[in-house]
Amino acid sequence: SSERFGENIGICMGDIAFFLSFELLGNLAVPEEIKTQVLSTYSQELSRVGFGQIRDVYHSMATDEPTAQDILKVYESKTARYTFVLPLVLGAYLAEQSPQVINELTQLGIHIGLLFQLVDDRLSIFGTEKETGKPAGTDISRNNKTLYRYYLLRKSTPVLKKKLQNIFGKPVTMQDIDDVKNLIPELKIDQIIDSKLAELEEKSITLIQKLTISAENKDALVSLVNFCKTRLV
């Protein structure tokens, strides 16, 4: 189909851009030891994405349910490290920062990335297709192993759990989505997620304040945290 054709071409172009990125990094006009560190870090972090995807695929096929820690590990590998840790750390290497700063930025990237993904999960359930660019209830119909799903199944009565298991992983109606939406506050799952978001925000701000950077740059990082927490809300 034409839809499939466009998707396949997009994947091919993504692969091409991926390989070209290594060429660009290899041509950086920086000391050789820094270039080596940048290329090594870039390769390692992209490999983590692949292993995170493997973990995600495994959880989608396994008969046992992933733990909350398992889910957060996938979030870290597939979202946090690639989207936030990688650019922060590469910038730090190019700026010739100390190992301590590299470590602090790594932790900061993980915290912001987890926060970003949790908000993404919330938008997948409560957001509109116009806001997210994805059909409503995508995480539900795909049976994605999110923290929302984890706590919904964990806190439901046997009857409710059976009902949810008949919703997740199947074509969903608006009524199905509404049922899931209504259960989240009813089971106080929104409070659990909000608490986790607040914890990640606090850890992020604490790390930012510790960084030996200008007040202007600290404000920029704080703005990034605020954007990730409040986007489209």
Side-chain angles (χ1 to χ4, degrees), residues 3-225:
E3 179 182 341
R4 192 67 181 172
F5 174 81
E7 180 183 334
N8 289 337
I9 293 298
I11 291 172
C12 290
M13 292 305 297
D15 289 341
I16 291 169
F18 171 73
F19 291 119
L20 287 174
S21 67
F22 276 97
E23 180 184 0
L24 290 171
L25 292 176
N27 290 328
L28 286 172
V30 296
E32 202 61 35
E33 62 272 18
I34 294 178
K35 186 188 299 185
T36 299
Q37 189 63 66
V38 165
L39 284 167
S40 175
T41 301
Y42 190 67
S43 178
Q44 289 172 11
E45 292 300 339
L46 290 178
S47 295
R48 288 179 191 271
V49 179
F51 285 117
Q53 182 64 26
I54 290 171
R55 187 188 294 263
D56 201 12
V57 170
Y58 169 78
H59 290 322
S60 71
M61 301 297 292
T63 54
D64 57 322
E65 289 288 335
T67 65
Q69 197 57 40
D70 289 333
I71 294 168
L72 289 172
K73 199 66 181 175
V74 171
Y75 288 0
E76 179 182 331
S77 300
K78 289 185 61 178
T79 300
R81 299 198 70 100
Y82 170 73
T83 311
F84 296 95
V85 173
L86 181 57
L88 287 171
V89 168
L90 288 189
Y93 278 125
L94 292 171
E96 301 184 46
Q97 292 298 303
S98 67
Q100 179 182 341
V101 171
I102 299 293
N103 182 61
E104 289 171 346
L105 288 173
T106 297
Q107 293 305 310
L108 175 61
I110 290 172
H111 295 327
I112 298 177
L114 293 178
L115 187 152
F116 179 94
Q117 186 58 56
L118 285 173
V119 172
D120 205 60
D121 292 347
R122 181 173 66 192
L123 289 171
S124 180
I125 297 173
F126 293 98
T128 65
E129 185 171 352
K130 183 178 179 181
E131 291 172 329
T132 65
K134 297 184 292 186
T138 298
D139 279 351
I140 299 171
S141 61
R142 292 180 179 174
N143 200 25
N144 289 341
K145 304 304 191 292
T146 67
L147 273 190
Y148 277 100
R149 178 188 177 280
Y150 169 80
Y151 284 115
L152 277 166
L153 294 178
R154 184 182 177 88
K155 291 185 168 293
S156 292
T157 63
V159 173
L160 273 179
K161 185 174 181 179
K162 186 174 180 60
K163 179 180 179 179
L164 288 169
Q165 288 171 332
N166 287 327
I167 291 176
F168 279 93
K170 300 179 176 64
V172 294
T173 64
M174 290 309 299
Q175 185 58 56
D176 292 331
I177 297 171
D178 286 341
D179 287 345
V180 172
K181 285 181 180 179
N182 293 333
L183 274 177
I184 288 171
E186 184 180 322
L187 298 175
K188 296 183 169 51
I189 294 166
D190 52 342
Q191 295 179 21
I192 296 173
I193 301 298
D194 285 346
S195 176
K196 186 65 179 174
L197 287 169
E199 177 189 346
L200 290 166
E201 180 184 22
E202 182 181 357
K203 287 181 176 179
S204 298
I205 300 302
T206 299
L207 275 169
I208 290 169
Q209 298 307 328
K210 283 175 57 180
L211 290 170
T212 54
I213 58 177
S214 68
E216 182 182 2
N217 287 333
K218 287 183 179 180
D219 288 344
L221 287 173
V222 170
S223 294
L224 176 61
V225 174

